[in-house]
Amino acid sequence: MTEDSAHARRLVAGWQGRYYEDFEVGDIYKHPYGRTVTETDNIWFTNITMNLNPMHFNEAYASQTEFGEILVDGTFVIALAVGMSVIDISANATANLGYDDIRHHGPVYHGDTLFAESEVLTKRESKSRDHVGMVTVELRAYNQDGDLVLSLERTPMVLKREYAQPSAAKPTGWPDGIGTQPADLEDE
C-alpha cells in the first residue's frame, strides 16, 4: 500500500459563490486576480462593439490628443470590472437588474493592470420572488498605481441558499453524470 492509497478519496466542494444570506451592508470584497489590459483586448472589443472613435484604435490620431496615446475603450473597462466581481457578487445571480452611477475617474491604457473591489450598499428581499433577494454594491476599479479609474453601482438578483441547494457533487452549471460519481463518493 502506498502512502497515497492509504487516504480515502473524498469530494470537496469548491467555492460556490455568495448567496443572498451571505451579504451584509458595509462588507467590502477585494476581488481576486488583477488583470492586465492588452492592446489586443482593446482592439478586439472596440471592433466587435463597433466603437468607431479613433481614440481607441488609431495611434496617429490618439498621439495628438491630450492623452498622447490610445485609450482603452471605457465599456471594456466596465465589462472587465464587472467580470472581476462575479466570483464574489453575482456567481449565484439570476439576473442583473441595473447598472447605475457609472463614472470613469481616469484613463486606462494598454498595459495597465486593473484590480476591483465591491462594497455592499443595500440588500432587500424580493417582494415577488421568494427564492431571491436584491443586493446593490458599489464596484470600484483601480490601476496598478492605486488610481481609481472606474466606479459604478450594480444590483444583481441573488439566489437564496435554500433554493440553490449547493453541493460538492453538483456545483452550479454541472449536468448530472459528469465526473466523479459512484454516488459521488457517498457519505460526504
Side-chain angles (χ1 to χ4, degrees):
M1 182 182 274
T2 68
E3 185 177 327
D4 288 339
S5 65
H7 298 285
R9 292 177 67 212
R10 64 189 184 113
L11 186 60
V12 179
W15 175 246
Q16 297 180 5
R18 287 184 175 80
Y19 294 93
Y20 177 74
E21 300 85 355
D22 299 323
F23 292 95
E24 295 296 331
V25 172
D27 286 354
I28 299 172
Y29 309 112
K30 286 188 163 192
H31 308 303
Y33 313 114
R35 167 77 153 66
T36 301
V37 179
T38 69
E39 180 179 11
T40 301
D41 294 329
N42 187 46
I43 291 172
W44 279 36
F45 191 86
T46 298
N47 286 335
I48 64 173
T49 59
M50 296 181 60
N51 184 333
L52 300 177
N53 186 321
M55 178 60 90
H56 302 306
F57 58 81
N58 182 325
E59 199 168 316
Y61 174 85
S63 70
Q64 299 302 308
T65 69
E66 65 183 285
F67 299 101
E69 62 184 290
I70 289 176
L71 292 181
V72 172
D73 184 325
T75 54
F76 174 81
V77 176
I78 294 167
L80 178 58
V82 169
M84 294 167 89
S85 73
V86 168
I87 192 169
D88 288 313
I89 303 301
S90 57
N92 292 305
T94 60
N96 277 299
L97 301 178
Y99 297 89
D100 298 298
D101 200 22
I102 299 169
R103 297 286 177 261
H104 293 280
H105 299 279
V108 174
Y109 301 102
H110 299 159
D112 280 353
T113 300
L114 300 185
F115 302 87
E117 66 182 5
S118 292
E119 181 173 349
V120 180
L121 302 177
T122 66
K123 70 181 263 190
R124 72 173 179 82
E125 301 219 10
S126 173
K127 294 176 182 138
S128 60
R129 294 174 174 88
D130 291 339
H131 66 290
V132 294
M134 277 62 76
V135 179
T136 298
V137 300
E138 180 183 32
L139 172 61
R140 298 180 290 263
Y142 303 89
N143 67 16
Q144 68 281 352
D145 298 321
D147 300 324
L148 179 67
V149 295
L150 173 77
S151 65
L152 59 86
E153 290 182 11
R154 76 183 192 105
T155 305
M157 193 162 51
V158 181
L159 276 174
K160 293 179 180 176
R161 182 176 277 101
E162 69 181 287
Y163 292 94
Q165 299 178 355
S167 74
K170 190 157 191 288
T172 303
W174 279 67
D176 289 328
I178 303 295
T180 317
Q181 290 162 44
D184 290 321
L185 305 174
E186 317 238 17
D187 303 314
E188 291 301 314

